[in-house]
Amino acid sequence: MAKVVPFHQPGAKSSGNGAKASMEANLASAVRTLGLESEGLVRLAKELEGPLAAPFEDAMRRLVAVKGRVIVTGIGKSGHVGQKIAATFASTGTPAFFVHPSEASHGDLGMVTRSDLILALSWSGETVELKPVITYSRRFAVPLIAITSQANSALGEQADVVLLLPRAKEACPHGLAPTTSTTMQLAMGDSLAIALLEARGFTAHDFKIFHPGGSLGANLKYVSDIMHRGKRLPLIKSGESMANALVAMTEKSFGCVGVTDTRGRLIGVITDGDLRRHMGPSLLEATVDDIMTAKPKTIAPSLLASAALELINASSITALFVVEKQKPVGLIHVHDLLRLGVA
C-alpha cells in the first residue's frame, strides 16, 4: 500500500515562534502591497493635475457626446478590470457593456455601432487580441479611448485619446503579476465614470432605477414606497380623552398616536414615552392636548428611506408621521426600515 504523504507548504513551520514569524511576514507583505499600490494612485493623481489633464478632458467630452454605448474591452487582468468599469458606467447612467477582444474577432464586433465609443485597456498597448477591435474602430470611425502605459504602442498610436498611466512598481516582488498597474487602470475607469455621472447630473433618484435590489435598493426606496397609510394610521382628534387615545395606540400597535385639529392637520404626537412621563391616577381623565408633544418631527413622502432612518436614529425615536401640506398621509416605523435592510 502506498504511503500517504501529507501536503506541506515549502517553508511552513509548525512551532509557535515560526507561526508568529510567518504572521508578521504576511502582514508586512500586505502593508507593502498597499503602500506600493497607494504610491501608484498618488502618481496617477499628480499626472491628472498635469499632463493627463487635457487628455482626460478630451475623453470626457467624447463620453458626454456619445449617443450609443460605451464598449469596454481588454484581455487578461485588463479585461477583468474592464468588466468592472463597464458595470460602473452602466449602473451610473451610461449605457455600457464589455466585449471580449477574442470573441470580437469571431462575430461580437457586430455589437459595436458607429454611434458607440470604445474604451480599450492594455498596459503594454501591444495586446495582439485587440488588433481586430482597433482596426474595426478605425474603419468605421468609432471613437477610441485607450488606457495604457505606452503612448507609442500600437493601441496608443491609433487611439483618438490616450490616457497614459504612469510607470509604477508592481507589488508583486517579481514584477510580473499585475497589481499596481491594474489598480491604476481601475482608478482611471472610476474617475471617468464618476466625472461623467456628475457632468450629467445623475442623482440618487436616478440611481434607484438601476439598483432596485438588495440593501442598496432598500436605501434608495422612498418613504412613500414603504409607509403605512389609510386606516393603518393611529390618529385621534384634538380634545379627545386619553382613554380613547390609549385604545387607538393599542389597536394600531405603533407605540404612538397622532393628534389632528379640526382641519385634519397634525398638531401633536403622543408616544409610549409621553405615557410613562404622565403616568398617574389622572392620566385617563386628561385630554390628548394635555399630554401630546406639540409640533412633532415629521418627514415628507419623497424622502429616501436611508435619510428617514438617519433622522429616526438622530432623534432617538421609533416612528415618524409622514405629512403633506401639514396633514398626515402615512407613518414609518424603524422596524419597517430594518426589515427592508436599510442601513
Side-chain angles (χ1 to χ4, degrees):
M1 182 175 180
K3 183 179 179 181
V4 178
V5 180
F7 177 76
H8 184 71
Q9 289 281 7
K13 299 178 181 179
S14 57
S15 68
N17 290 336
K20 182 178 179 181
S22 177
M23 181 179 294
E24 291 175 349
N26 291 338
L27 291 174
S29 175
V31 171
R32 183 173 63 253
T33 296
L34 293 175
L36 288 170
E37 294 189 350
S38 295
E39 287 176 14
L41 293 178
V42 169
R43 294 184 67 176
L44 180 58
K46 288 181 179 179
E47 291 291 307
L48 279 168
E49 293 174 341
L52 252 180
F56 187 87
E57 185 57 32
D58 191 4
M60 281 299 302
R61 179 178 58 79
R62 294 172 184 272
L63 285 165
V64 170
V66 68
K67 301 201 183 314
R69 294 80 45 87
V70 175
I71 311 300
V72 186
T73 189
I75 201 162
K77 303 300 185 294
S78 294
H80 294 309
V81 172
Q83 291 180 59
K84 191 275 178 185
I85 292 173
T88 300
F89 274 125
S91 70
T92 52
T94 299
F97 61 86
F98 179 82
V99 172
H100 194 286
S102 294
E103 297 296 338
S105 62
H106 291 277
D108 280 4
L109 279 173
M111 298 179 179
V112 185
T113 71
R114 298 190 184 197
S115 61
D116 296 334
L117 177 148
I118 297 173
L119 177 65
L121 286 76
S122 172
W123 181 253
S124 68
E126 298 292 348
T127 305
V128 175
E129 291 84 354
L130 282 176
K131 184 178 179 181
V133 178
I134 298 171
T135 302
Y136 185 89
S137 73
R138 301 303 80 188
R139 178 183 177 187
F140 294 103
V142 180
L144 175 63
I145 297 174
I147 298 180
T148 182
S149 68
Q150 298 289 346
N152 297 325
S153 62
L155 174 60
E157 289 181 347
Q158 293 297 322
D160 297 299
V161 181
V162 177
L163 297 175
L164 192 63
L165 301 178
R167 304 295 294 181
K169 185 177 180 181
E170 299 283 15
C172 169
H174 310 297
L176 299 175
T179 46
T180 307
S181 56
T182 49
T183 298
M184 289 193 293
Q185 286 179 325
L186 182 59
M188 178 60 76
D190 285 345
S191 298
L192 290 169
I194 298 306
L196 192 56
L197 174 155
E198 293 174 347
R200 288 178 168 166
F202 192 80
T203 67
H205 298 286
D206 300 317
F207 207 74
K208 176 180 181 290
I209 297 172
F210 303 117
H211 299 79
S215 60
L216 182 54
N219 282 315
L220 293 171
K221 283 185 179 292
Y222 300 120
V223 167
S224 59
D225 295 330
I226 56 179
M227 69 184 187
H228 301 275
R229 61 184 79 213
K231 293 182 179 180
R232 286 288 295 142
L233 298 185
L235 297 172
I236 197 164
K237 292 181 180 179
S238 173
E240 291 275 355
S241 68
M242 278 303 300
N244 291 340
L246 286 171
V247 171
M249 290 179 69
T250 303
E251 286 179 348
K252 306 302 181 180
S253 303
F254 288 117
C256 65
V257 64
V259 181
T260 59
D261 62 13
T262 55
R263 297 171 60 183
R265 297 174 301 185
L266 187 72
I267 59 172
V269 169
I270 299 172
T271 66
D272 289 335
D274 294 319
L275 296 181
R276 288 191 293 271
R277 283 188 290 274
H278 292 86
M279 189 63 67
S282 61
L283 176 62
L284 297 181
E285 299 174 4
T287 67
V288 292
D289 304 80
D290 299 326
I291 307 300
M292 73 180 189
T293 298
K295 298 180 180 179
K297 287 184 173 64
T298 60
I299 54 175
S302 59
L303 194 70
L304 287 174
S306 55
L309 180 61
E310 184 178 347
L311 180 57
I312 284 175
N313 288 334
S315 304
S316 299
I317 55 180
T318 58
L320 280 169
F321 275 96
V322 184
V323 300
E324 278 186 326
K325 297 179 180 179
Q326 299 182 289
K327 295 184 179 181
V329 295
L331 181 141
I332 190 166
H333 195 280
V334 65
H335 292 163
D336 302 322
L337 298 167
L338 296 178
R339 274 194 296 269
L340 280 172
V342 179

